[in-house]
Amino acid sequence: MHPMVKPALRRGWRDRGTVQFGMTPAHAVTLGPVDPATEGLLKLLDGTRGLASLRAESSRAGLPAARVDTLVARLTRAGLVDDARGGGPAAHALREKPDVLDRLRPDLASLSLVTPEPGGAPARLAARRALRVRVLGAGRVGALLASVLAGAGVGEIDVHDVGRVEPWDLAPGGLTAESLGDRRDAAARAAVRRAAPERPPRHAHRPGSGAGDPGFSLVILAPREDIAVHAPDPRAAEPLLASGTPHLYAGVVEGTGVVGPLVLPGESGCAGCLDLDRRDRDPVWPRLVTQWRSGRVRRVGACDLALATTVAGLAAAHALAFLDGRSPAGAGTRWEVCLPGLDWRTRPVRPHPECGCGAARRSKRERSSTDGGRRETMAVQRPSTERQRQAGAARPTGTWRAHV
């Protein structure tokens, strides 16, 4: 181990014996009392020395070697220590590509703040390179979303859509003016290649592979049609539910941005649950949906560029949180934001007992197994690769004090 205090956290002295790492309440940690000897050891924790070298430095300074181990252990428990050479073989392979790593350094720094274990951040970043994500839809939201995921280091992004690029499909970071008239999916895949920090796998496009291909870690449905955003057709997700593929919805409808739900098949509410719940609350819902789907489709929907960019960014953040093995807030929830107020609202998508997805039966079993009336927290399914099972416990929000 080559310990270093996480460089993403700014450092400041609150007084002569108390140092604070981090500025924001979510990540700030104060440590004290810090004597001059401990301050000297802190300066050595820069990732250039292993524990043996640090012990030798400590001895030369007249301090017991065990002082180093105690300090590193306590800083590690506080979530302040990273391992400059940790993360396993995949992380080492990433370090062998300095140009790629330099592109991803901001993402690595961000991961270090939410990954308490030393070496966890490079391991997660390296694991992204082995993931496969499919984006269904290459409009203002879908194409940009796919590019963001590629730029964040996800190794393979497969984009599917039909038709040709129209002027209203263009967006900064997504489809460009040079792609006008090209096939939408081909143009979106070109945008993904431009955004990626390294060349994606040659087999990224698999013509004829179904939406429910179990090889995908996540499928994102980002339709251009506004009715498909507002009332997603449950039948379109049947292959995903059958294959157990997690999927996320995102889009813009009539000046309203929508992200979610993130569907964990058999565990959280799906598009079918959403549809059945709406039928329960509004008896005329099926009649309206039938009219919307069979009516004349407007050529250009109300998809504000800034709102579409916001939706793509939030959806990408939810997707990355799931792919990194964390439990994002989008599971079983629709996030909605409307123009012009831009107030975000969350709407739960609860498992419906009449839906065939099975989530309601699981939820009922969990309620029956609770102790003392307390409901168990839903276990979020994580991607299956071993390198993605490294999610650590989140540190409580607020300033945390540790005596060193």
Side-chain angles (χ1 to χ4, degrees):
M1 180 178 178
H2 284 63
M4 64 178 178
V5 178
K6 293 181 178 179
L9 296 172
R10 287 191 177 272
R11 185 180 311 188
W13 290 88
R14 300 182 66 88
D15 54 48
R16 296 185 64 180
T18 307
V19 60
Q20 177 173 316
F21 296 94
M23 299 182 290
T24 62
H27 301 293
V29 178
T30 59
L31 297 172
V34 178
D35 57 28
T38 301
E39 180 184 356
L41 290 179
L42 284 173
K43 293 179 180 179
L44 299 178
L45 300 181
D46 58 3
T48 62
R49 303 169 180 84
L51 286 173
S53 296
L54 288 169
R55 295 186 190 109
E57 293 268 4
S58 178
S59 298
R60 282 194 290 270
L63 299 173
R67 183 74 173 270
V68 170
D69 297 313
T70 300
L71 177 62
V72 171
R74 290 180 177 177
L75 293 176
T76 300
R77 287 198 297 270
L80 289 174
V81 173
D82 210 342
D83 184 356
R85 299 187 183 181
H92 178 70
L94 180 58
R95 294 189 190 97
E96 294 295 308
K97 297 185 174 184
D99 293 342
V100 175
L101 184 58
D102 284 344
R103 284 277 302 273
L104 296 170
R105 285 195 185 280
D107 303 270
L108 179 62
S110 179
L111 281 171
S112 74
L113 298 181
V114 296
T115 309
E117 69 273 14
R124 288 183 179 181
L125 187 63
R128 290 181 183 179
R129 303 170 71 202
L131 300 180
R132 297 177 63 212
V133 173
R134 170 166 284 171
V135 178
L136 301 178
R140 278 187 161 185
V141 173
L144 177 56
L145 198 164
S147 296
V148 172
L149 293 178
V154 177
E156 181 177 340
I157 310 291
D158 187 26
V159 187
H160 277 232
D161 206 339
V162 296
R164 302 279 176 175
V165 177
E166 302 285 356
W168 46 85
D169 294 324
L170 308 183
L175 303 181
T176 65
E178 290 75 17
S179 64
L180 282 172
D182 295 343
R183 288 176 53 90
R184 277 197 182 91
D185 52 2
R189 288 193 288 272
V192 165
R193 288 193 294 272
R194 289 193 300 270
E198 60 182 321
R199 185 182 297 275
R202 296 178 62 87
H203 57 275
H205 180 43
R206 291 175 170 81
S209 58
D213 184 341
F216 288 103
S217 303
L218 179 68
V219 171
I220 302 175
L221 297 94
R224 291 175 289 108
E225 299 80 8
D226 53 4
I227 177 58
V229 176
H230 185 59
D233 189 347
R235 294 171 297 182
E238 287 177 355
L240 300 171
L241 293 171
S243 63
T245 304
H247 48 287
L248 173 68
Y249 293 87
V252 174
V253 49
E254 295 182 350
T256 298
V258 178
V259 176
L262 169 63
V263 181
L264 309 173
E267 298 186 23
S268 64
C270 66
C273 297
L274 174 64
D275 183 63
L276 289 168
D277 179 68
R278 283 170 160 172
R279 294 183 183 212
D280 292 344
R281 292 185 289 107
D282 185 358
V284 302
W285 173 257
R287 183 187 308 167
L288 290 172
V289 173
T290 300
Q291 294 176 71
W292 292 334
R293 288 177 178 162
S294 61
R296 182 179 177 182
V297 179
R298 291 191 303 274
R299 192 177 184 193
V300 180
C303 185
D304 179 86
L305 178 58
L307 182 60
T309 303
T310 300
V311 168
L314 183 62
H318 278 276
L320 289 170
F322 172 73
L323 294 170
D324 289 339
R326 299 193 297 274
S327 304
T333 303
R334 271 170 68 102
W335 292 74
E336 298 180 358
V337 60
C338 302
L339 296 175
L342 296 176
D343 293 325
W344 285 98
R345 297 179 297 174
T346 58
R347 300 185 182 275
V349 181
R350 299 182 179 90
H352 197 283
E354 296 179 21
C355 185
C357 70
R361 292 190 295 273
R362 178 188 177 104
S363 178
K364 184 177 180 180
R365 288 196 303 269
E366 289 180 346
R367 285 196 299 270
S368 65
S369 65
T370 55
D371 182 21
R374 294 179 60 190
R375 184 173 181 177
E376 294 179 353
T377 302
M378 180 184 67
V380 176
Q381 178 181 345
R382 295 172 181 165
S384 58
T385 59
E386 184 62 29
R387 285 175 294 175
Q388 293 168 257
R389 297 174 182 170
Q390 299 181 13
R395 191 187 320 137
T397 300
T399 301
W400 186 88
R401 184 174 178 83
H403 291 278
V404 297

